[in-house]
Amino acid sequence: MRTASWIRRRVGLLLFALLATQLGSLISPAYACGCGAMVPDGTSRIGVSREASVIRWDGKAEQVAMRFTVGGDAKRAAWIMPVPGRATVRLGDPGLFPELADLTGPEYRTRGYFWPRRGDWPLDSGRGDMAGAAPPGSAEPQVGVIGRERLGDFDVARLTATDPEALGGWLRANGFVLPDRLSAELKPYVDQRWEYVAVRLAPREPYGTLSGTLDPLLIRFESDRLVYPMRLSRLAGTAQSLGLYVLAEHRMEPVSAIGGNAPEVTFAGQITPTGAVAAFAGAAPVFLTAIDQSFPVPSRIDGDHELRASAGDSPYRRVEYTDELLTAGGIPVWILTVGGALAAVALAAVLTALRLRRGRTPLPGRPHV
């Protein structure tokens, strides 16, 4: 028979194993970024819960404004994005995304309903319901540093590489701990002779951590096709959410889901840009397409997003309804209708009674038989 002390030891070992598992999940890096690889420093933890990007494509060049919402305890992190051509990088306008959110927001409509619902009388219950210097150049001959800029909280290096291992070595030599699989994921880009934008991020406060919504970063490169790099998102450890605003000559759509849920178009229509949108895309009329997509299992991502013109430029806008009880003069229509029906029934009963009564009353001057 098992003794009480043996049971206590087994329970203690089980609790210790559970605690060790939880601690391990806290200190292991969480790589997450819809367009590249977000790499925290050391054993810190960082995750990108939402990525929103704006793409302007004119058939020859592509401009991408990117904004991330991050969480975790990392004091510094690196972000890497492959690009098909020579890139320039600068800070974007923080007002760009709020303006686009207003432009693509749903249309709100009101629709009425006849019978009372819960909350309406008489069903209502009565209760209300990088600090520091820029990283040095790599000693690896297979890696070239095209340029380096300090942009606010971003330290940006534009790189070329002929060997994915050499690129990983350059990043490690500059203080970043990378996942073992990164070199393998970079190989397709190296084979296609793409270039790279490597960004070091640091919080504004000296001892702060990276969290919240970061300033947008603006990247421009030549491209005869509209492509949005996503392959490195395979390294993400948690489900990802991507929002894309695409400004082009026509309504655009992804060629495939690349391993995520089916992309959903939440807005499509021609706009005349103003304000921050005009500064980004120009003032000429342009077609705006808003696309949302989720990736429940990032490891299934099998390529980059390539977008093409849709079969037609049909407009689309989401409609959200607010239901209201139908009223007339402040009185619910159902009360007026039911009350009117009851009054009509009562009147008919009275008239019927009067006719019956009149039929039983003898005519004047005629004797009763």
Side-chain angles (χ1 to χ4, degrees):
M1 182 176 179
R2 293 173 178 175
T3 64
S5 60
W6 183 89
I7 295 175
R8 284 195 297 270
R9 285 197 302 272
R10 295 291 294 178
V11 171
L13 288 172
L14 177 60
L15 292 175
F16 178 79
L18 291 173
L19 179 60
T21 300
Q22 295 299 316
L23 289 175
S25 67
L26 289 174
I27 64 174
S28 59
Y31 303 99
C33 178
C35 62
M38 188 74 79
V39 184
D41 59 327
T43 58
S44 299
R45 180 175 173 272
I46 189 171
V48 178
S49 59
R50 176 70 174 172
E51 174 190 346
S53 294
V54 189
I55 302 175
R56 173 69 174 108
W57 185 65
D58 60 8
K60 298 179 180 179
E62 185 173 333
Q63 185 169 246
V64 183
M66 319 185 73
R67 186 182 67 173
F68 303 104
T69 301
V70 303
D73 59 1
K75 294 180 173 59
R76 286 174 177 78
W79 166 68
I80 307 160
M81 180 180 179
V83 291
R86 186 60 47 90
T88 60
V89 186
R90 61 185 176 89
L91 287 178
D93 188 337
L96 176 62
F97 290 90
E99 287 187 19
L100 286 168
D102 290 340
L103 285 170
T104 60
E107 178 183 351
Y108 296 97
R109 297 180 185 175
T110 300
R111 58 187 176 188
Y113 57 90
F114 182 81
W115 292 110
R117 299 177 180 177
R118 184 176 182 179
D120 298 324
W121 185 89
L123 305 180
D124 188 1
S125 63
R127 296 176 296 177
D129 296 318
M130 180 154 99
S138 171
E140 298 279 354
Q142 298 94 337
V143 177
V145 180
I146 301 165
R148 186 169 61 242
E149 297 87 19
R150 180 72 180 185
L151 303 173
D153 289 338
F154 302 101
D155 192 4
V156 182
R158 291 172 291 133
L159 309 171
T160 63
T162 59
D163 184 339
E165 294 292 341
L167 180 57
W170 186 94
L171 294 165
R172 282 189 293 271
N174 285 270
F176 301 114
V177 178
L178 304 179
D180 295 335
R181 292 182 296 155
L182 182 62
S183 294
E185 300 298 340
L186 287 172
K187 188 178 186 305
Y189 298 114
V190 173
D191 292 343
Q192 297 176 67
R193 304 185 67 83
W194 280 34
E195 298 185 2
Y196 310 89
V197 175
V199 184
R200 298 189 68 171
L201 304 91
R204 297 177 186 274
E205 299 78 12
Y207 302 102
T209 58
L210 289 167
S211 61
T213 300
L214 305 179
D215 291 334
L217 202 62
L218 196 61
I219 301 173
R220 185 185 185 278
F221 50 89
E222 302 294 321
S223 180
D224 58 0
R225 61 192 179 102
L226 203 169
V227 61
Y228 188 73
M230 288 288 296
R231 189 188 303 272
L232 297 186
S233 301
R234 291 166 52 85
L235 301 176
T238 58
Q240 300 293 288
S241 173
L242 172 67
L244 280 181
Y245 299 101
V246 184
L247 295 152
E249 185 178 354
H250 299 285
R251 173 172 170 165
M252 305 299 288
E253 64 183 10
V255 172
S256 75
I258 64 168
N261 289 342
E264 176 190 4
V265 173
T266 59
F267 177 88
Q270 191 175 66
I271 65 167
T272 300
T274 59
V277 180
F280 176 80
V286 66
F287 206 95
L288 170 61
T289 311
I291 302 169
D292 271 0
Q293 187 179 14
S294 59
F295 298 87
V297 185
S299 61
R300 294 178 181 171
I301 296 174
D302 56 14
D304 299 319
H305 258 321
E306 185 169 352
L307 294 97
R308 64 188 175 192
S310 301
D313 288 340
S314 55
Y316 171 75
R317 189 175 200 134
R318 289 176 299 170
V319 177
E320 293 187 3
Y321 291 95
T322 300
D323 293 336
E324 291 183 355
L325 182 66
L326 291 172
T327 61
I331 301 174
V333 171
W334 73 271
I335 292 181
L336 297 176
T337 303
V338 173
L342 291 175
V345 170
L347 179 60
V350 170
L351 293 176
T352 301
L354 290 174
R355 285 195 296 269
L356 292 173
R357 183 178 179 182
R358 188 179 297 118
R360 291 195 299 269
T361 302
L363 296 174
R366 177 179 297 180
H368 289 283
V369 177

